[in-house]
Amino acid sequence: MFPWSDPAEPMRFDRFMEAALHDPERGYYARRIRDVGIRGDFSTTPSLSGTLGRAIGAWAAKALRETGCRDLIELGPGSGALAHAVISALPWHRRLRTRVHLVETSSPLRERQQALLGRSVHWHQTLSEALATCGGRACIYSNEFVDAFPVRRFRLNADRWEEQFVTPGRSHWNTTSELPSGSVFSREWADGQVVEVHSPYRKWMEEHLTYWKRGRMLTIDYGDQVADLYHRRPDGTLRGYFHHQLVTGPEILDRPGHQDLTCDVNFTDLIEWSAPRVRMLRLIEQSDFLKPHVDFNQPTDAFVSAAHGAGGAFLCLEQEVV
């Protein structure tokens, strides 16, 4: 029964999530998924509105000019629609000078990107590979990239932390004293609170950002800083999406490889994990980032920029190599 080789062997939750999402043959992102949007399992901001592409295009033009970089890298480009919008939004003189790179591990998604973008961009399997091509000097952006990484899950029980393990259709919690780096463990929580840590993303950062020598990075994702991340969320932020239906509770373990799994991003961790080599320039809500580029006559533009909706649920973190 996928993803277990031995149904009796418990699997730590992040390893279950890694297999369910990224197994090269049967993982959710490796399958020929129906894509995002109305006929898929979920919708992203670029699939709803062109505002994000215009906003990132303006950010990229400024960041490239001020850092002197010529290379622009997108992480996890999905269908390629965002890259297409960003390229189109660049001023023509900047567009002619800029080399665009996409980092994509999913073969089906790369095929879709190539069909849309043709030979106007360069593809890479890893960020370190892309940075090597750029001599380490590049501006980097991503939208809903961090949330695709697996998480480790912990629960506070009588002042002790337990970690979640799963077997087919079931889960249990084992007491542990070996906690990963994470800002959640330095705060006080009510008994029973469940928290998540994007430890695999921290490992990814340490592996790839060592090749980054110059430039800026824009990270856009849903989440919050640690102080507000779990407000009225005693069971954590883990959820799934299957045919646009929200999946929570025990059903999270069902249909591995056939439904998306995701957690909110702890931006406090992103900032702390990348310091001191990378410094924060600003952390703002998506509504503020999009505001100069919104056409309020377009309902979808108003939706993705609404401060009490998607515009407030997403944060935009801008960082720079020190």
Side-chain angles (χ1 to χ4, degrees):
M1 186 179 197
F2 174 78
W4 291 269
S5 56
D6 180 359
E9 183 68 24
M11 180 178 288
R12 206 171 70 185
F13 185 82
D14 60 318
R15 293 167 184 163
F16 162 78
M17 189 172 174
E18 170 69 25
L21 294 179
H22 301 291
D23 181 89
E25 295 183 1
R26 293 172 290 182
Y28 181 79
Y29 290 109
R31 296 167 61 87
R32 293 189 175 273
I33 57 176
R34 290 172 294 279
D35 200 9
V36 299
I38 192 169
R39 290 187 291 180
D41 290 309
F42 55 90
S43 296
T44 61
T45 299
S47 70
L48 299 172
S49 166
T51 307
L52 185 62
R54 296 192 294 272
I56 294 178
W59 169 85
K62 183 174 185 289
L64 290 165
R65 181 180 69 252
E66 293 181 350
T67 61
C69 295
R70 291 191 58 190
D71 293 274
L72 182 64
I73 301 173
E74 181 178 350
L75 306 173
S79 68
L82 180 57
H84 185 271
V86 170
I87 294 169
S88 300
L90 290 173
W92 68 269
H93 55 88
R94 177 61 59 184
R95 196 182 315 162
L96 292 175
R97 295 184 41 143
T98 302
R99 295 182 292 254
V100 179
H101 306 261
L102 303 185
V103 176
E104 182 58 72
T105 59
S106 168
S107 296
L109 288 177
R110 184 180 289 205
E111 290 174 9
R112 291 186 62 84
Q113 296 155 16
Q114 290 171 337
L116 176 63
L117 300 168
R119 299 182 179 181
S120 62
V121 302
H122 308 275
W123 277 268
H124 306 275
Q125 194 73 12
T126 66
L127 175 58
S128 55
E129 177 187 308
L131 286 170
T133 302
C134 307
R137 297 177 292 275
C139 292
I140 306 166
Y141 72 91
S142 66
N143 178 61
E144 297 190 51
F145 175 70
V146 181
D147 67 75
F149 279 77
V151 296
R152 294 176 67 177
R153 303 191 80 219
F154 298 87
R155 182 177 67 182
L156 188 62
N157 183 11
D159 296 325
R160 300 195 65 175
W161 286 105
E162 304 171 324
E163 183 163 12
Q164 186 178 20
F165 287 75
V166 297
T167 53
R170 300 174 57 189
S171 74
H172 65 276
W173 301 82
N174 289 351
T175 301
T176 180
S177 58
E178 297 181 4
L179 300 175
S181 172
S183 56
V184 290
F185 301 118
S186 62
R187 299 190 63 83
E188 293 186 3
W189 304 102
D191 196 49
Q193 177 69 52
V194 175
V195 299
E196 298 98 4
V197 183
H198 277 92
S199 298
Y201 181 73
R202 183 194 183 196
K203 181 179 179 181
W204 178 90
M205 289 178 66
E206 293 174 344
E207 178 181 353
H208 296 287
L209 291 186
T210 55
Y211 296 91
W212 195 30
K213 299 177 182 177
R214 187 174 184 179
R216 291 180 186 167
M217 180 163 62
L218 179 67
T219 304
I220 303 175
D221 224 312
Y222 41 84
D224 215 324
Q225 297 189 72
V226 66
D228 300 310
L229 190 62
Y230 294 102
H231 180 60
R232 296 182 178 177
R233 287 170 149 181
D235 297 321
T237 69
L238 177 69
R239 57 198 179 277
Y241 291 96
F242 185 68
H243 294 184
H244 280 274
Q245 296 298 310
L246 176 65
V247 178
T248 59
E251 197 178 354
I252 286 287
L253 305 181
D254 296 342
R255 301 183 292 268
H258 294 270
Q259 64 182 11
D260 185 38
L261 300 178
T262 187
C263 285
D264 278 20
V265 174
N266 183 340
F267 279 85
T268 303
D269 280 348
L270 267 56
I271 295 166
E272 293 180 355
W273 288 343
S274 58
R277 189 172 180 275
V278 179
R279 67 186 177 105
M280 183 183 76
L281 297 180
R282 59 176 175 162
L283 178 65
I284 60 174
E285 291 187 350
Q286 180 173 275
S287 56
D288 294 325
F289 181 71
L290 297 181
K291 191 174 182 179
H293 311 279
V294 171
D295 180 355
F296 287 100
N297 293 319
Q298 298 294 326
T300 53
D301 280 20
F303 171 75
V304 300
S305 61
H308 297 291
F314 283 72
L315 295 184
C316 303
L317 171 64
E318 184 176 13
Q319 297 170 289
E320 184 175 54
V321 177
V322 176

